Amino acid sequence: MKNQYRNTISIPVAYLFICLFITFVSSQSLIRQITDDFNTNLKEEVSYIVQNHQEISSRHYNVSTSKAVTGMRHRRPSTYSYKIETNIIDTFETRPFTVGGYKWTLHVYLNGNTKDGGAGYVSLYVSIDKSGFNDSAHKEVYADLRFYIFNRKERKYFTIQDTDVWRFNAFNTMWGFSQVLPVDTFKDPKNGYLYNGEQCEFGVDVTVPTPFEESETFSISSSSDKYTWKIKNFSTLLKDTYSPVFSLGGKKWNLRIVPDGYGSSRGKYVSMFLQLSTNQRRAYEYIYVRVKFRVLNQGKLSNRELELRNWFGRSYSWGFENFISFSDLRDSSKGFLVDDVLIAEVELKDISTTKYFP
């Protein structure tokens, strides 16, 4: 009886395993088929985009939305304002107004420019009079645009502008935004854009940048100019000592030695500074230098050397308070002070120049 029971259940169990195996295989095949179809479609889509690539204009809603900056502000439009006292008509355009020597027109679509992806949104554009280009396809005008919608409730203007300038030419005469504000938001009186029944107000700022008339060019040039100063009777110096005027990098300078030390280094170090002579720079000019200060070793050993990188502008003098210690100078074996002679040197490595136009 026991064996008969075992044989009876063996057939259903085997059948169950067969069904599970078929299901697993089918699912794997289905997954592979879906994946293959997805990859095929993706390749076809990418191939279509590559083969049919076209430049998208800045006013295209897919581009403009991602580049648009919006916000509420108190300031009114500074170029043109357009008040509408009816919403029976959904498309408006203003009379031409002049900016930068060109004629411009503001275009308003209360229910959106559906041809430019603006369905469900208020759309705003400006156009330029094509005759301003004198039929020259190569002439262009760049303009910054900022559009406004007045909010009576907030007593502010909703504004939208692009992060880039807009390029107008004989082929691209209209630019703007297809998706400025949802129509539902705009037409709901409680939001404040539509007031006194059906009144609303729009505006635009058109800024045509003019070419700059003044400019400057900053550059840095390398140099190997040196000035060497032999100071005799160094131990007898009691106050700051200045070298004769010398030229480095087209500018006039002095070396300043403070034998007793400057500031916190007084009584312990000799201080050394490079000083720019007067009338060597304009009142607003800054001169960058990289120089190396040295006290030459007269015993053919290593020189004492420090590098300075700084701007000469508000300050005319830069250097090192703790350039060389008294102990090193007093030690005759170190070779820095021989027969009471100290040899200081400054080498110019880099210096900046600024050219102003005009």
Side-chain angles (χ1 to χ4, degrees):
M1 188 70 180
K2 216 171 192 183
N3 291 334
Q4 184 181 2
Y5 177 76
R6 197 179 286 122
N7 291 336
T8 303
I9 66 171
S10 62
I11 294 175
V13 170
Y15 179 77
L16 177 61
F17 276 105
I18 292 171
C19 291
L20 290 173
F21 177 77
I22 293 173
T23 302
F24 174 79
V25 172
S26 300
S27 64
Q28 292 300 306
S29 176
L30 179 61
I31 291 171
R32 283 197 300 271
Q33 182 63 43
I34 293 173
T35 304
D36 291 343
D37 290 344
F38 174 79
N39 290 334
T40 300
N41 292 337
L42 181 59
K43 290 177 181 177
E44 291 175 354
E45 184 177 350
V46 171
S47 176
Y48 175 82
I49 292 173
V50 172
Q51 294 173 7
N52 297 275
H53 171 71
Q54 294 180 352
E55 183 178 356
I56 301 176
S57 69
S58 294
R59 72 183 179 93
H60 191 284
Y61 69 98
N62 285 332
V63 177
S64 295
T65 301
S66 63
K67 295 162 60 178
V69 178
T70 62
M72 302 293 291
R73 59 189 297 166
H74 287 284
R75 190 175 73 80
R76 303 175 53 139
S78 60
T79 299
Y80 204 84
S81 177
Y82 186 40
K83 187 173 182 180
I84 300 171
E85 295 186 340
T86 178
N87 61 7
I88 296 177
I89 305 171
D90 62 3
T91 304
F92 303 85
E93 67 177 53
T94 68
R95 64 174 178 172
F97 52 90
T98 303
V99 177
Y102 295 89
K103 297 290 186 181
W104 308 81
T105 301
L106 173 64
H107 302 261
V108 179
Y109 296 77
L110 293 183
N111 291 308
N113 182 4
T114 57
K115 295 181 180 180
D116 194 29
Y121 288 84
V122 175
S123 304
L124 297 174
Y125 304 90
V126 290
S127 63
I128 191 170
D129 187 347
K130 192 173 182 178
S131 63
F133 297 108
N134 298 321
D135 297 325
S136 174
H138 301 289
K139 189 173 182 181
E140 295 182 329
V141 175
Y142 290 87
D144 285 304
L145 305 178
R146 181 183 290 125
F147 295 93
Y148 298 81
I149 304 179
F150 181 59
N151 187 304
R152 181 100 175 235
K153 179 180 179 181
E154 298 287 337
R155 294 290 177 181
K156 294 180 181 180
Y157 289 83
F158 173 83
T159 63
I160 183 170
Q161 67 183 101
D162 203 291
T163 55
D164 290 336
V165 294
W166 308 68
R167 185 177 64 181
F168 293 83
N169 53 45
F171 300 107
N172 298 302
T173 58
M174 179 182 287
W175 297 97
F177 293 97
S178 59
Q179 298 183 2
V180 176
L181 197 67
V183 172
D184 292 342
T185 301
F186 171 75
K187 290 190 174 181
D188 189 340
K190 69 180 181 182
N191 292 325
Y193 295 102
L194 204 62
Y195 53 93
N196 293 341
E198 51 187 18
Q199 294 183 18
C200 50
E201 184 181 342
F202 300 88
V204 65
D205 285 347
V206 179
T207 304
V208 179
T210 57
F212 57 82
E213 296 180 356
E214 296 181 290
S215 66
E216 60 185 84
T217 301
F218 177 86
S219 60
I220 294 179
S221 57
S222 299
S223 174
S224 58
D225 292 349
K226 291 182 184 179
Y227 173 74
T228 305
W229 180 26
K230 183 180 288 189
I231 309 171
K232 298 179 180 180
N233 302 317
F234 182 80
S235 62
T236 64
L237 299 179
L238 299 176
K239 59 181 181 178
D240 295 9
T241 302
Y242 295 85
S243 73
V245 176
F246 56 89
S247 294
L248 291 178
K251 304 291 183 183
K252 296 188 181 299
W253 312 82
N254 291 91
L255 268 179
R256 172 190 170 203
I257 293 288
V258 184
D260 193 36
Y262 182 84
S264 60
S265 296
R266 186 177 297 276
K268 296 177 287 185
Y269 290 87
V270 173
S271 303
M272 186 184 299
F273 302 92
L274 178 65
Q275 187 164 293
L276 182 66
S277 299
T278 57
N279 301 321
Q280 293 297 295
R281 55 176 288 275
R282 297 173 175 86
Y284 43 79
E285 183 182 14
Y286 289 84
I287 302 171
Y288 173 82
V289 298
R290 180 170 72 94
V291 294
K292 288 190 176 182
F293 290 91
R294 298 186 184 99
V295 168
L296 300 184
N297 192 289
Q298 301 172 60
K300 306 303 181 182
L301 301 175
S302 297
N303 300 324
R304 177 59 51 85
E305 180 178 283
L306 291 174
E307 184 176 273
L308 171 74
R309 300 173 185 232
N310 221 320
W311 293 85
F312 285 78
R314 290 191 178 92
S315 175
Y316 282 77
S317 179
W318 289 102
F320 297 95
E321 294 180 0
N322 55 344
F323 190 78
I324 188 168
S325 66
F326 287 178
S327 60
D328 284 342
L329 289 180
R330 290 169 184 152
D331 189 344
S332 59
S333 66
K334 292 192 174 182
F336 293 112
L337 190 63
V338 177
D339 296 332
D340 207 19
V341 174
L342 182 79
I343 303 176
E345 185 177 82
V346 59
E347 180 180 3
L348 178 66
K349 306 300 290 184
D350 295 306
I351 186 169
S352 70
T353 56
T354 304
K355 295 180 181 179
Y356 299 90
F357 307 93

